Every structure is written in C-alpha cells, then in structure tokens.
C-alpha cells in the first residue's frame, strides 16, 4: 500500500469558457468538481495504475465534507483524512477553450491548530506501518510550522519507509534537511532552493543538501534525475499541448509506482514522463489519457548512464 499526504486538501473546481477575457463577463460551458490537492491527485493516478493507496491530510467544514463524499467514489483510494475545525479550501481553474490556457485561483486553506497538528502526527505515524512508500505533497495550510514536512520525513525514515517530498519554498528547504529519499522540484523551485538556474549543477547541490535522489521537472523537456545509481534525462517524443494541471502530480505517481514495483530508474522515469504528458492531453484537469499514456510509454526517450552521481 502507498500513502499520500496532502496537508492542504482542496475541492478542485474547473470552469471551461469559450474565451477568457480580463474584466469581462463569461458564460461557463462546463463545470467539474473533484477532490484535489497534490497528494490526492497522485493517489488517483496510482489507483488507476492498480496500486492500493490511502490518502491523509486535513479535512474540515462543508467543503471538507464534500471532498470526503467524492473520495468515496474514487476507486482504489482509501480516505484517512483527519478532521479539523477550519474549512477545507477550494481551488478554481478557468480553462480558455480557445487557447487551452488555464488560470488558477488557490485559496489558502484552513487555520490548523497545534492540537490538530499533534493529532495528525499521531495518526500519520500509525499509518506508516506496512506502507511501501509515502508521498508528502503540496503547500502547508496556515498554522502549521514551516518545518512540518521535515517532521513527517523523519517519522517515515524512522519507520524505514521510503519518502518522496514534493513541495516548494521554505517547506522544501526545511524538509530537505531531514534527508528525504526523493524530491521532485520543478526548474523554478530548484533554482529557488539552490540559487542555480543550471539544472545539472542545481540537482547536484540539492543532493548535497540532503536529498538521496533529485528529480527535476523541466516542463516540456521532461525530467532530469540525479540518483545514487546514476544520472538520466527522460523526455516525451514531442511537445504536447493541453491543460498542464496535475501533470507534475502524475509524474510523482509514476515515480512512486516504479519505486513500489522496484523498477530500474530508466523505467520509472519513462513512466513518469508518459503519465505527465498524458495528463496534459486529458480533457479533465488532473486525469490522464489512458490510450495516450500507453502509446507515449513506448516513445519516451531516456538517456544517461548508471554509476555514482
């Protein structure tokens, strides 16, 4: 079983409009709502790949109730969210059907108290028993200490559970000091962390700071991985166009599933890139096009070599 942690869960709302115009009034052609937050997106993809997955994090208020109701309809996903008094946030994505561009509006999330955070830590440590891997994903809601992910990384390591950290800013910096097995920053997050805009140098610096493996997401150029076993680049066969919402989360799911299945790094990276591209091609934000995934998986280009990195 794989555990995903989304401390700042959300109800994701997607509006599709014929054309998005600033300061204008718009008629919405389609509305979709689904449980969201990075770890929940990861869990959905993992379940589609055939893995048993449990989601945890915080849930509160009417929006939190709606998230949990909808989670019950997600096949293969077990809800282990921890209740809080504050209201779960909503995120709104507005998709311009003419250009394919997406405008994202993200609420901050509920104020989590010290007692609620302590209760979550107890529940999380109990969940680690028997887990094949854990993913810690997304932003921190108000009230949590900036070192919250570092605490959760250390608990996973103490339980001998491989842990992937996918966050940004100071939460990433603090979490890195706890020595996660994998981090997956995008190019901007990696540059902010290390001060270097050159990915090869930045991944090396991030490993020196504590990460066992650094996988940099380079957008349309795919992934750059610096691991204890070597370095690899993986890229889709061609640039794909569509809605990128959730593409990074699908890449995380590919990496986690490959870890759980003990696949070699080139196969893990090919799966992550294919899932990410297939998510961009999906008409629904955060989902992936199954047929495109199968086709892309055979076409992803992985280059590099093993050896100490």
């Amino acid at each position: 079983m794989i555990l995903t942690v989304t401390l700042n869960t959300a109800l994701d709302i997607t509006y599709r409009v014929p054309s998005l115009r600033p300061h204008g009034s718009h008629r919405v052609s389609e509305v979709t709502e689904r449980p969201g937050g990075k770890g929940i997106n990861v869990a959905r993809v993992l379940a589609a790949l055939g893995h048993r997955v449990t989601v945890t994090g915080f849930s509160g208020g009417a929006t939190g109730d709606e998230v949990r109701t909808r989670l019950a309809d997600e096949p293969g996903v077990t809800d282990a969210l921890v209740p809080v008094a504050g209201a779960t946030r909503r995120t709104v994505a507005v998709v311009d059907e003419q250009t394919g561009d997406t405008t994202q509006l993200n609420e901050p999330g509920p104020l989590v108290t010290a007692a609620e955070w302590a209760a979550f830590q107890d529940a999380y440590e109990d969940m680690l028993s028997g887990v094949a891997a854990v993913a810690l994903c997304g932003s921190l809601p108000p009230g949590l200490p900036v070192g919250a992910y570092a605490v959760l990384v250390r608990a996973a390591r103490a339980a001998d559970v491989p842990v992937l950290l996918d966050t940004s800013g100071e939460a990433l910096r603090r979490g890195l000091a706890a020595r996660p097995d994998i981090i997956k920053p995008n190019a901007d997050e990696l540059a902010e962390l290390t001060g270097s805009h050159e990915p090869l140098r930045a991944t090396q610096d991030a490993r020196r700071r504590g990460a066992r493996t650094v996988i940099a997401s380079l957008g349309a150029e795919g992934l750059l991985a610096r691991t204890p076993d070597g370095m690899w680049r993986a890229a889709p066969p061609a640039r794909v166009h569509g809605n990128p919402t959730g593409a990074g989360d699908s890449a995380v799911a590919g990496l986690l599933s490959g870890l759980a299945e003990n696949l070699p790094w080139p196969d893990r990276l090919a799966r992550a890139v294919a899932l990410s591209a297939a998510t961009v091609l999906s008409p629904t934000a955060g989902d992936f096009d199954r047929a495109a995934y199968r086709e892309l998986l055979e076409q992803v280009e992985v280059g590099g070599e093993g050896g100490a990195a």
Side-chain angles (χ1 to χ4, degrees):
M1 189 266 286
I2 297 175
L3 177 65
T4 71
V5 177
T6 311
L7 295 177
N8 210 2
T9 55
L11 180 66
D12 286 347
I13 303 167
T14 301
Y15 295 140
R16 300 184 70 88
V17 297
S19 177
L20 183 60
R21 304 178 309 279
H23 315 299
S25 178
H26 299 77
R27 290 190 180 275
V28 177
S29 58
E30 182 183 351
V31 181
T32 58
E33 296 184 359
R34 66 192 314 179
K38 293 178 72 63
I40 290 180
N41 294 338
V42 171
R44 185 181 294 115
V45 176
L46 284 168
L49 294 173
H51 288 272
R52 293 189 304 116
V53 57
T54 294
V55 298
T56 190
F58 296 112
S59 172
T63 306
D65 291 342
E66 182 67 15
V67 166
R68 303 194 81 162
T69 297
R70 290 177 178 269
L71 269 179
D73 296 329
E74 296 278 357
V77 177
T78 298
D79 170 10
L81 294 173
V82 175
V84 292
T88 295
R89 66 185 178 135
R90 298 160 297 181
T91 69
V92 178
V94 183
V95 180
D96 185 322
E97 294 177 329
Q98 186 175 58
T99 65
D101 292 337
T102 301
T103 299
Q104 193 84 15
L105 304 173
N106 297 327
E107 295 179 359
L111 178 65
V112 177
T113 68
E116 290 167 339
W117 171 230
F120 175 83
Q121 290 177 70
D122 290 341
Y124 168 76
E125 290 178 10
D126 288 342
M127 291 178 210
L128 289 173
S129 176
V131 168
V134 59
L136 309 175
C137 304
S139 62
L140 298 176
L144 286 194
V146 72
Y149 278 132
V151 172
L152 301 185
V153 169
R154 292 188 187 100
R157 289 181 57 83
D160 200 27
V161 175
V163 56
L164 183 153
L165 178 60
D166 185 19
T167 188
S168 60
E170 191 61 24
L172 174 59
R173 191 180 307 277
R174 298 287 186 92
L176 190 58
R179 305 187 68 81
D181 293 273
I182 304 172
I183 63 169
K184 193 211 69 66
N186 62 34
D188 290 339
E189 292 163 350
L190 187 60
E192 181 184 7
L193 174 68
T194 65
S196 174
H197 291 272
E198 203 292 303
L200 283 173
R201 178 180 299 173
T203 55
Q204 184 177 39
D205 183 59
R207 278 204 72 207
R208 290 196 187 108
R209 292 171 185 241
R212 181 172 172 80
T213 291
V214 180
I215 300 176
S217 176
L218 305 180
E221 297 179 14
L223 300 175
L224 170 65
R226 187 181 288 272
T227 83
D229 302 321
M231 287 188 56
W232 288 272
R233 288 182 181 267
R239 181 181 291 269
V240 295
H241 299 278
N243 183 355
T245 304
D249 303 330
S250 292
V252 169
L255 295 169
L256 274 178
S257 63
L259 172 64
E261 297 169 30
N262 201 29
L263 296 180
W265 274 109
D267 292 345
R268 298 186 204 183
L269 297 169
R271 180 180 290 183
V273 168
L275 282 169
S276 181
T279 298
V280 175
L281 294 170
S282 172
T284 303
D287 201 354
F288 70 96
D289 185 312
R290 271 63 168 175
Y293 164 64
R294 290 189 292 271
E295 182 177 348
L296 285 161
L297 188 58
E298 302 299 322
Q299 300 175 358
V300 172
E301 301 170 0
V302 182
E305 59 185 30

